[in-house]
Amino acid sequence: MNLALVFQSGDFVLISVFLLMVLMSIVTWSVIVLRVIKLRGAKQGNAAAKQAVMGAASLDEAAQKVQGIESPVSTLTTEAVRAYRNYRQGGAKTLADALPLNEYLVSQIRSSMSQTMRQFDGGMTALASIGATAPFIGLFGTVWGIYHALINISESGQMSIAAVAGPIGEALVATAAGLFVAIPAVLAYNFLNRSNKTISQDLDAFAHDLHVRLLNQKD
C-alpha cells in the first residue's frame, strides 16, 4: 500500500484527515513519553522522601531533608509542616482559627494533596479525546474517499475490479490509520490513570501517617 498515492490522488478532505491522524499520533506519543518520565521520577522521589522523613529525628529535620527532593511526598511534607507551624504560632488569621488542630491539619493536607495530584492530570484529557474520536475521524475519511472513488469510477465508465479496488483500498487506509492512532491512546490512558491512582493511594497512606505524627508532636 503506497500512502503517497493518497496524498497524490486524494482531495482536500481526505488529505486533511490523514494530516490530523499524524498530528494526533504525535500528541499521543509525546504525552506518553512525558507522563511516563514524570511518573517514574515521582515514584523514585516518593521513595527517597519517605526514607528521609522516616529517618528524621524531628519534623524540622524532615522538612529540611525533603527540600531537595521533587516528589508529591516531599511537597506534602513541606506544606503540612508549614501548616502545623502556622497554627501553633497563631499565624492563621482566617476561619481556620476556630478549628481544632486535628481538623485544621486534615483540611490543609487534603488541599495540598489535591493541588499536588493535579500535575499528573496533564495530557489525560487529550488521550481520552484522541482515543474516542480517532476511529470516527478515520471512518469519516474512508467514507469520503469511497464516495469520491465511486463518483470518479462512474464518470470514467470503468467498472472493472481493478478500477474499483484501487481507489477504495486507498480510502480504507483512513480507517486503519484511525485505529492505529486510537489504540495506543486508549492503552496509555488506562495505564496512566492506574498509575495516578497508585500514586494517590500511596500519598494518602503517607498523609495519614504524617497527620498522626503532627498531632503527637511535642512543642
Side-chain angles (χ1 to χ4, degrees):
M1 184 67 66
N2 189 1
L3 295 179
L5 295 177
V6 177
F7 293 92
Q8 294 176 0
S9 59
D11 59 356
F12 174 77
V13 175
L14 189 58
I15 293 176
S16 299
V17 168
F18 275 93
L19 292 178
L20 184 58
M21 291 293 104
V22 173
L23 178 61
M24 285 184 172
S25 181
I26 294 175
V27 172
T28 297
W29 287 104
S30 298
V31 171
I32 291 175
V33 172
L34 293 177
R35 301 322 301 178
V36 168
I37 293 175
K38 190 173 185 64
L39 285 172
R40 180 176 298 180
K43 291 180 179 180
Q44 294 176 351
N46 282 345
K50 287 180 182 179
Q51 185 176 2
V53 172
M54 296 304 174
S58 63
L59 290 178
D60 292 337
E61 181 181 351
Q64 293 177 354
K65 285 184 176 181
V66 300
Q67 286 182 355
I69 303 175
E70 295 184 1
S71 69
V73 168
S74 62
T75 302
L76 178 62
T77 302
T78 302
E79 295 296 331
V81 172
R82 182 182 295 113
Y84 175 82
R85 291 173 178 172
N86 290 339
Y87 187 91
R88 288 302 191 188
Q89 296 172 0
K93 302 302 182 180
T94 63
L95 292 177
D97 294 334
L99 293 175
L101 177 60
N102 182 30
E103 284 75 8
Y104 178 76
L105 288 178
V106 169
S107 175
Q108 296 299 315
I109 289 175
R110 285 180 177 176
S111 177
S112 178
M113 289 177 60
S114 298
Q115 294 293 332
T116 301
M117 291 306 301
R118 285 182 182 177
Q119 61 180 313
F120 296 98
D121 293 334
M124 298 296 290
T125 302
L127 290 179
S129 301
I130 291 174
T133 59
F136 297 101
I137 296 175
L139 182 60
F140 169 75
T142 295
V143 173
W144 185 270
I146 291 176
Y147 168 75
H148 280 272
L150 294 177
I151 293 296
N152 294 333
I153 290 172
S154 64
E155 292 178 352
S156 63
Q158 298 179 0
M159 299 302 296
S160 63
I161 296 297
V164 175
I168 292 181
E170 298 294 343
L172 289 174
V173 178
T175 299
L179 295 175
F180 179 78
V181 174
I183 292 175
V186 173
L187 295 178
Y189 177 84
N190 293 333
F191 169 77
L192 295 176
N193 189 43
R194 176 59 183 170
S195 299
N196 290 346
K197 288 182 179 179
T198 301
I199 292 180
S200 179
Q201 292 171 355
D202 293 342
L203 190 62
D204 184 74
F206 176 81
H208 176 75
D209 295 339
L210 181 62
H211 177 242
V212 173
R213 290 196 174 204
L214 290 173
L215 288 179
N216 293 278
Q217 177 71 13
K218 303 297 184 180
D219 293 335

